[in-house]
Amino acid sequence: MPSETLDFLSNPLRTREDLQRACTSLLDPLELYTSPNGARIKLGYTATHYDDIAAQLEGFARPLWGLASLLHGGGDYPGHERWTRGFAAGTDPDSEEFWGFTRGKDQRMVEMSPIGFTLAMAPEKFFQPLPQQAKDNLIAWLGCINGKDMPDTNWLWFRVFANLGLSKINAPYSASQLKADLDHLDTFYLGDGWSRDGPAGVRQLDYYSGSFAIQYAQLVYSKLAAKEDPERCEEYRERARLFAKTFIHWFDEDGRSAPFGRSLTYRFAMASFWGALAFADVEVPGISWGVIKGMLLRHMRYWTTQPGAFTRDGVFTIGYTYPNMNMTENYNSPGSPYWAFKAFIPLALPETHPFWTAEEEPFPIASIPKVFPSEHPGHICSHLGGHTFLLSSGQSCHYPLRAGAEKYGKLAYSTAFGYSVPTGTLLLDQHAPDNTIALSEDGGVVWKVRRECDDARLEYENLSDKANSLCWLRAVWRPWKDVEVETILVPPHPDTPLWHIRVHRVKTGRELLSSDAGFSNYGQRKDGRALDAVEASSFATGDDTVLDGKSSSSQPAEEAAWALASSAGGVVAVRDLTHLTLPNSSAPRRKGEVTILDANTNIIYSRSVMPTIIGSHLGSSRDEWLVTGIFALPSRVGQDGVPKSAWIGEWSKTPVVPGAILKIISSA
């Protein structure tokens, strides 16, 4: 393995110098793939919905998020001249490497954003050295974004940055377009720091609301346009302070962030919000500079433990922790992952900035709520039991995204266990419906999962004291005209911290099978072979070691069907609580099963298994209530599994359905 990759994977990422070296070590491998005149970087051969020239422009432009920050902060990278030459060749209509002028809704618009940022941050490196004709070409090329049709999403920020960059080099730009775009973007704002990404009426609040786009862009704008637009910039800074209080709950003590939504191949861009806070000099009450520093650097260190995120010559792969086209979107080119370079923005800060002078502090697990309801995104965040995850209800993508149901519609998203995407359309192993309820009308061949739902809401037992009240998520899913599933998601209770509860009301006019699955988990033993079936009696016997195995009540159980899988990833399990909770229930008994999922379904583990409870439902006009307990304890980063003593006592407990939920059931 070449030294570039080894250097990043062995980087301690504790200091400003470490982060500088991380940036340059990921820039170096790009030289091999750069065109003779520097304007195009072709990193692979997989296709996107846009043309390959735009994809090669993507490979050129996105690393600039980091390179411009590095140079602005006084860092050095001799290879920057490749990009300087590329600006001249890429914007010259007579050049063989010309990028082409943008059309409406063109991928070139996206890449104008890092280019505008670069002109604002490091004009002395990339603009001033150009001959006058090359300067004129660059100005004309970037300015042609104005007046073009754009998606009604975060894309509008790309035009903002194009015009901002032009203004910073005293070039002609459209002040009216800049203001109109900002005014419209401000209509996306919902409150508590959250902005939707997409048209009104669609609930889509993911990393684009934060690190990937909107919050990041607002913070950078608030720094670069503070003199010209002070009132708006201060509003953006206040939004960031509010957002930080929620977004911190998307991370865990090891730096992992909850994989949720689209574009996760951008990897450590997920934490770039924390660096942008520092760049904009935004202090957050209750969150120190040491904590902010730790939020970014811990996340970066997590990626040093994931060699599958890179090729052997140090180039990002398309995927998450390993190369995985199943999870991608049709706009992911080989250059797309370099959006991750947004995370290098603290390199623009001097070494005297409090972000760099502060001692890094650990994740503030002791001072934040262990269960945190977040109304705008429709989440309940939990840090109980050594596990950080989001319960989720009501989100969907505003267009028919590949695997959109998996990226937005699942019931829980874990920093440790991730989520799974389908590889095909047949049987549970290809559908991979972890952390959701799935239904089949053909005996288990084809399964439906929740992509959109109705009447999604966050409810409280005591509205007058939300901070101390029990809360839950509730929504209705109608997969067929004669089928209705209402789901209630209840977060963990301190007495049973490794459990959370799902309650489903199923009303069906047809015969169905249901799968109510928990977190999927790494599916191999320590020796790399598939997990063996083990007897339940082995859970509490033998040495206090990591259990490598899977077990389930394979036949309908009289009391509580269950399924469990334990491996280097941790322990995951499900248990049917229906008849324990509702002794008079007429619901059919369900059975437990550990399904071996198709390879490359889970975005974190390329080989995985899924514990689930399988039920049969006859068509009728009555409501049928199902109650399922979801159990999980992940491994910490660097730990291969958890010993039996860490979870067997909690597994033996039965989580209690709160009285407020029982009232909902009884009153239905």
Side-chain angles (χ1 to χ4, degrees):
M1 185 179 293
S3 60
E4 291 89 351
T5 302
L6 284 173
D7 185 69
F8 180 82
L9 297 179
S10 62
N11 193 321
L13 282 166
R14 298 280 179 180
T15 67
R16 187 170 182 264
E17 291 72 24
D18 291 339
L19 194 64
Q20 288 177 329
R21 194 172 79 252
C23 182
T24 58
S25 71
L26 294 176
L27 288 169
D28 285 343
L30 300 178
E31 182 175 11
L32 178 65
Y33 300 93
T34 301
S35 59
N37 292 320
R40 301 181 186 179
I41 298 180
K42 185 177 178 65
L43 296 172
Y45 296 91
T46 54
T48 56
H49 72 82
Y50 48 86
D51 61 277
D52 196 53
I53 294 174
Q56 294 177 53
L57 166 60
E58 194 173 42
F60 169 91
R62 296 193 170 195
L64 289 167
W65 288 117
L67 178 55
S69 296
L70 172 74
L71 298 177
H72 181 87
D76 182 47
Y77 185 68
H80 81 268
E81 59 82 24
R82 301 197 302 271
W83 277 268
T84 306
R85 291 188 295 109
F87 278 125
T91 59
D92 180 359
D94 296 325
S95 168
E96 292 183 355
E97 297 183 15
F98 180 50
W99 295 323
F101 291 111
T102 190
R103 303 171 180 174
K105 298 183 178 180
D106 192 320
Q107 185 65 25
R108 288 161 180 79
M109 293 174 161
V110 182
E111 311 321 318
M112 289 177 174
S113 181
I115 289 173
F117 174 77
T118 298
L119 293 182
M121 294 288 284
E124 73 285 355
K125 298 290 188 182
F126 298 107
F127 182 72
Q128 293 170 8
L130 297 176
Q132 188 58 48
Q133 185 59 56
K135 290 179 180 177
D136 293 343
N137 289 341
L138 176 53
I139 291 168
W141 182 84
L142 199 57
C144 76
I145 194 174
N146 290 311
K148 299 291 196 308
D149 188 26
M150 296 192 81
D152 187 20
T153 65
N154 73 85
W155 271 49
L156 295 169
W157 273 109
F158 308 149
R159 189 158 58 198
V160 168
F161 272 82
N163 279 301
L164 184 63
L166 289 170
S167 74
K168 293 299 181 181
I169 57 171
N170 297 314
Y173 73 101
S174 177
S176 60
Q177 184 76 78
L178 177 63
K179 183 179 185 304
D181 287 338
L182 287 165
D183 288 346
H184 186 69
L185 283 162
D186 285 344
T187 68
F188 293 1
Y189 187 61
L190 300 174
D192 297 329
W194 284 95
S195 296
R196 68 175 189 273
D197 181 27
V202 175
R203 195 182 204 179
Q204 186 177 349
L205 296 96
D206 52 18
Y207 284 97
Y208 281 91
S209 297
S211 285
F212 289 172
I214 295 174
Q215 273 288 348
Y216 188 96
Q218 290 176 168
L219 283 164
V220 174
Y221 181 84
S222 78
K223 178 71 171 282
L224 298 181
K227 292 182 180 179
E228 297 82 1
D229 196 0
E231 186 175 340
R232 194 191 312 264
C233 289
E234 184 51 42
E235 169 64 19
Y236 288 164
R237 293 159 64 84
E238 180 57 26
R239 291 181 191 178
R241 294 183 188 100
L242 295 171
F243 183 77
K245 298 296 184 69
T246 296
F247 192 50
I248 199 168
H249 292 282
W250 287 41
F251 293 78
D252 69 14
E253 295 171 82
D254 290 325
R256 298 174 291 198
S257 57
F260 174 79
R262 63 191 180 101
S263 299
L264 297 185
T265 196
Y266 298 167
R267 296 187 173 97
F268 45 77
M270 297 162 84
S272 64
F273 166 77
W274 303 105
L277 271 179
F279 175 74
D281 302 312
V282 175
E283 296 185 3
V284 182
I287 303 179
S288 68
W289 283 116
V291 168
I292 291 171
K293 182 178 184 177
M295 294 300 294
L296 177 66
L297 294 184
R298 263 192 313 278
H299 183 75
M300 298 286 289
R301 289 197 292 272
Y302 167 71
W303 287 104
T304 68
T305 70
Q306 303 301 324
F310 307 93
T311 64
R312 292 180 65 84
D313 59 356
V315 172
F316 275 120
T317 59
I318 303 176
Y320 195 60
T321 65
Y322 63 91
N324 185 356
M325 295 302 294
N326 296 318
M327 62 159 285
T328 60
E329 293 79 33
N330 66 355
Y331 54 81
N332 291 158
S333 84
S336 294
Y338 286 85
W339 206 252
F341 271 51
K342 283 191 165 190
F344 290 117
I345 195 168
L347 294 179
L349 300 171
E351 61 185 9
T352 55
H353 192 278
F355 178 87
W356 291 119
T357 59
E359 285 290 324
E360 179 182 326
E361 296 178 38
F363 185 76
I365 189 67
S367 60
I368 61 175
K370 302 302 181 292
V371 174
F372 181 81
S374 185
E375 298 198 24
H376 292 294
H379 291 160
I380 299 176
C381 314
S382 175
H383 304 283
L384 282 172
H387 187 195
T388 293
F389 62 96
L390 313 176
L391 295 178
S392 184
S393 195
Q395 288 214 40
S396 62
C397 189
H398 66 276
Y399 65 95
L401 180 77
R402 186 192 335 176
E406 288 70 29
K407 294 168 183 176
Y408 293 93
K410 288 182 186 283
L411 308 181
Y413 294 87
S414 166
T415 61
F417 297 115
Y419 64 80
S420 297
V421 295
T423 58
T425 59
L426 303 176
L427 306 179
L428 276 179
D429 60 327
Q430 293 180 23
H431 282 277
D434 60 349
N435 274 320
T436 195
I437 184 170
L439 300 175
S440 173
E441 62 172 346
D442 63 3
V445 179
V446 176
W447 294 82
K448 278 195 173 186
V449 294
R450 193 171 86 172
R451 184 175 76 88
E452 295 179 332
C453 55
D454 301 319
D455 197 22
R457 58 203 188 274
L458 176 63
E459 295 184 337
Y460 296 86
E461 184 177 22
N462 185 357
L463 282 171
S464 64
D465 187 16
K466 290 183 178 181
N468 298 301
S469 173
L470 171 71
C471 59
W472 58 86
L473 293 169
R474 192 173 178 182
V476 176
W477 172 44
R478 296 180 176 88
W480 294 277
K481 290 183 178 179
D482 60 345
V483 177
E484 181 176 282
V485 180
E486 180 177 20
T487 295
I488 300 170
L489 303 176
V490 184
H493 187 276
D495 291 342
T496 50
L498 303 189
W499 292 92
H500 72 272
I501 295 172
R502 293 181 199 153
V503 177
H504 306 289
R505 177 182 58 81
V506 179
K507 187 175 183 178
T508 174
R510 63 186 70 190
E511 292 189 11
L512 295 172
L513 285 181
S514 67
S515 164
D516 202 7
F519 299 98
S520 54
N521 193 9
Y522 179 60
Q524 309 299 111
R525 304 183 315 203
K526 291 185 185 64
D527 62 4
R529 305 293 292 271
L531 293 178
D532 292 324
V534 297
E535 294 294 327
S537 59
S538 66
F539 296 175
T541 59
D543 296 335
D544 184 23
T545 57
V546 174
L547 176 70
D548 257 347
K550 59 183 181 178
S551 190
S552 65
S553 56
S554 58
Q555 298 300 318
E558 285 301 312
E559 289 190 351
W562 56 272
L564 181 147
S566 175
S567 69
V571 183
V572 296
V574 289
R575 183 184 295 168
D576 183 7
L577 304 177
T578 304
H579 296 278
L580 293 172
T581 304
L582 307 171
N584 298 322
S585 171
S586 60
R589 304 284 177 171
R590 297 188 285 172
K591 66 177 183 178
E593 172 184 306
V594 178
T595 302
I596 301 174
L597 298 179
D598 211 358
N600 309 319
T601 51
N602 184 286
I603 67 170
I604 292 177
Y605 299 119
S606 58
R607 295 178 175 87
S608 58
V609 295
M610 177 187 77
T612 187
I613 301 292
I614 304 294
S616 299
H617 312 275
L618 300 175
S620 71
S621 59
R622 62 182 177 81
D623 290 336
E624 186 174 278
W625 289 91
L626 307 174
V627 184
T628 306
I630 312 299
F631 182 89
L633 179 61
S635 299
R636 297 289 301 268
V637 171
Q639 177 186 15
D640 289 330
V642 290
K644 289 186 286 186
S645 61
W647 59 269
I648 189 63
E650 296 299 324
W651 170 247
S652 65
K653 297 178 182 178
T654 300
V656 176
V657 176
I661 305 302
L662 294 176
K663 287 181 181 179
I664 293 174
I665 296 173
S666 63
S667 63

